[in-house]
Structure formats: C-alpha cells, structure tokens
Amino acid sequence: EVQLVESGGGLVPAGGSLRLSCTTSGFSFGDYSIGWFRRVPGKDLEGISCISNNDGKIYYADSVKGRFTISSDNAKNTVYLQMDSLKPEDTAVYFCAAEFATWGIVVVTATACAPSSEFAHWGQGTQVTVSS
C-alpha cells in the first residue's frame, strides 16, 4: 500500500522556520517524483516545490523561491521541505504527493512541475500557520 505521511507543521511567527517531512512507503522511492502543494481556504491548490528522485531535478514556485528548500533522503524514503523566512501568506495546509517518473516520464524540470492532477498518491496534509 502506498502511503505518504506529512509531519512538521505548526504555528510559527513571521520570519520563523519550519521543516516539513514527507515519509513514504509502499513504492520504489527512486522511481518517483515528490511534490509539495499547499491549499489556502478559498483558493486553488498551489504547487510550490517538486523534486525528481530519478534525476535530482528541483522546481520552486516563485512564491517560495529563495525561502524554501526541498531535499530528498533516499535511505529514509523521505522528502523534506525546509521553510525559512515564513510569511503570514504561507499559512495553508501543506500536502506532499508522489508520481511515477521513470521510463522517460517527466514530472519535474527546473522550471516546471506537473500539475496536482497528475500526482497519483497524496498524504493527508499538515497545517502550517504563520502569525503576523
């Protein structure tokens, strides 16, 4: 069974930091790309960062570039999202998602990540609240 479990969310003051973890199981980690998405009530799901475990490509949305860092630990089947210089507008429920990305399938490039509709497996989400 494929499972993704997010952790690390919480309440933090503006300017603070959090590290989210996405721990996965049930699939060949190196064959998948992992994306971080966030949902603000009343807004569409936003793709903020993705990483290809197959070739190491990384994407950041402009809204988080320079503040967030995505990384992958293949030994732990876990992807991290280090979030620094947090702003109140970063308040959202954060989800990680996985999509098969080998055999020539491209999910992540340096300038784009596949839309959320193309990710097959999702975690339950973790709340991040940034106070002003």
Coordinates of all heavy atoms in Angstrom, one line a residue, residues 4-9 18-24 36 78-82 94 96 124 126:
L4 N 1.9 8.2 2.1 CA 2.7 9.4 2.3 C 2.2 10.0 3.6 O 0.9 10.2 3.7 CB 2.6 10.3 1.2 CG 3.1 9.9 -0.2 CD1 2.1 9.1 -1.0 CD2 3.6 11.1 -1.0
V5 N 3.1 10.4 4.5 CA 2.7 11.0 5.8 C 3.5 12.2 6.0 O 4.7 12.2 6.1 CB 2.9 10.0 6.9 CG1 2.5 10.7 8.2 CG2 2.1 8.7 6.7
E6 N 2.8 13.4 6.0 CA 3.4 14.6 6.3 C 3.5 14.9 7.8 O 2.6 14.5 8.6 CB 2.6 15.8 5.7 CG 2.4 15.7 4.2 CD 1.1 15.1 3.8 OE1 0.5 14.4 4.6 OE2 0.6 15.4 2.7
S7 N 4.5 15.6 8.2 CA 4.7 16.0 9.6 C 5.5 17.2 9.6 O 6.1 17.6 8.6 CB 5.3 14.9 10.4 OG 6.6 14.6 9.9
G8 N 5.5 17.9 10.8 CA 6.3 19.1 11.0 C 5.6 20.4 10.9 O 6.2 21.4 11.1
G9 N 4.3 20.4 10.6 CA 3.6 21.6 10.6 C 3.4 22.2 12.0 O 3.7 21.5 13.0
L18 N 10.2 26.4 9.7 CA 9.6 25.0 9.9 C 10.3 24.1 8.9 O 10.6 24.5 7.8 CB 8.1 25.0 9.8 CG 7.3 25.6 10.9 CD1 5.8 25.6 10.5 CD2 7.4 24.8 12.2
R19 N 10.4 22.8 9.3 CA 10.8 21.8 8.3 C 9.7 20.7 8.3 O 9.4 20.1 9.3 CB 12.1 21.1 8.7 CG 12.6 20.2 7.6 CD 13.9 19.6 7.9 NE 13.8 18.4 8.8 CZ 14.8 17.5 8.9 NH1 15.8 17.5 8.1 NH2 14.6 16.5 9.8
L20 N 9.1 20.6 7.1 CA 8.1 19.6 6.9 C 8.8 18.3 6.4 O 9.8 18.4 5.6 CB 7.1 20.0 5.8 CG 6.3 21.3 6.1 CD1 5.3 21.6 5.1 CD2 5.7 21.3 7.5
S21 N 8.2 17.2 6.8 CA 8.7 15.9 6.3 C 7.6 15.1 5.6 O 6.4 15.2 6.0 CB 9.2 15.0 7.5 OG 10.3 15.6 8.1
C22 N 7.9 14.4 4.6 CA 7.0 13.6 3.8 C 7.6 12.2 3.8 O 8.6 11.9 3.1 CB 6.8 14.1 2.4 SG 5.8 13.0 1.4
T23 N 7.1 11.3 4.7 CA 7.7 10.0 4.8 C 6.8 9.0 4.0 O 5.6 9.0 4.1 CB 7.7 9.5 6.3 OG1 8.5 10.5 7.0 CG2 8.3 8.1 6.4
T24 N 7.5 8.3 3.1 CA 6.7 7.5 2.2 C 7.0 6.0 2.4 O 8.0 5.6 2.9 CB 7.1 7.9 0.7 OG1 8.4 7.4 0.4 CG2 7.1 9.4 0.5
W36 N 5.4 19.1 -3.3 CA 4.8 19.8 -2.1 C 3.7 20.8 -2.7 O 4.1 21.6 -3.6 CB 5.8 20.5 -1.3 CG 6.5 19.6 -0.4 CD1 7.8 19.1 -0.6 CD2 6.1 19.0 0.9 NE1 8.2 18.3 0.5 CE2 7.2 18.3 1.4 CE3 4.9 19.1 1.7 CZ2 7.1 17.6 2.6 CZ3 4.9 18.5 2.8 CH2 5.9 17.7 3.3
T78 N 12.2 9.6 2.4 CA 11.6 10.9 3.0 C 12.0 12.1 2.2 O 13.2 12.2 1.8 CB 12.0 11.0 4.4 OG1 11.4 9.9 5.2 CG2 11.4 12.3 5.0
V79 N 11.1 13.0 1.9 CA 11.4 14.3 1.3 C 11.1 15.3 2.3 O 10.1 15.3 3.1 CB 10.5 14.5 0.0 CG1 10.7 15.9 -0.5 CG2 11.0 13.5 -1.0
Y80 N 12.0 16.3 2.4 CA 11.8 17.4 3.4 C 11.6 18.7 2.6 O 12.0 18.9 1.5 CB 13.1 17.6 4.2 CG 13.5 16.3 4.9 CD1 14.5 15.4 4.4 CD2 12.9 16.0 6.1 CE1 14.8 14.3 5.0 CE2 13.3 14.8 6.8 CZ 14.2 14.0 6.2 OH 14.6 12.8 6.9
L81 N 10.9 19.6 3.3 CA 10.7 21.0 2.8 C 11.1 21.9 4.0 O 10.3 22.0 5.0 CB 9.2 21.2 2.4 CG 9.0 22.6 1.7 CD1 9.7 22.7 0.4 CD2 7.5 22.9 1.6
Q82 N 12.3 22.5 3.8 CA 12.7 23.5 4.8 C 12.2 24.8 4.5 O 12.4 25.3 3.3 CB 14.3 23.5 4.8 CG 14.8 24.6 5.8 CD 14.6 24.3 7.2 OE1 14.7 23.1 7.7 NE2 14.3 25.3 8.0
Y94 N -0.4 22.0 4.0 CA 0.6 21.5 3.1 C 0.5 20.0 2.9 O 0.4 19.3 3.8 CB 2.0 21.9 3.6 CG 2.3 23.3 3.5 CD1 1.7 24.3 4.3 CD2 3.3 23.8 2.6 CE1 2.0 25.6 4.1 CE2 3.6 25.1 2.5 CZ 2.9 26.0 3.2 OH 3.2 27.4 3.1
C96 N 2.1 16.6 0.6 CA 3.0 16.0 -0.3 C 2.3 15.0 -1.2 O 1.3 14.4 -0.8 CB 4.2 15.4 0.4 SG 3.9 14.0 1.4
Q124 N -2.1 13.2 3.9 CA -3.3 13.7 4.5 C -3.2 15.2 4.7 O -4.2 15.9 5.0 CB -3.6 13.0 5.8 CG -2.8 13.5 7.0 CD -1.3 13.1 7.0 OE1 -0.9 12.3 6.2 NE2 -0.6 13.7 7.9
T126 N -0.7 18.7 6.4 CA -0.3 19.2 7.7 C -0.5 20.7 7.7 O -0.1 21.4 6.7 CB 1.2 18.8 8.1 OG1 1.5 19.2 9.4 CG2 2.2 19.4 7.1

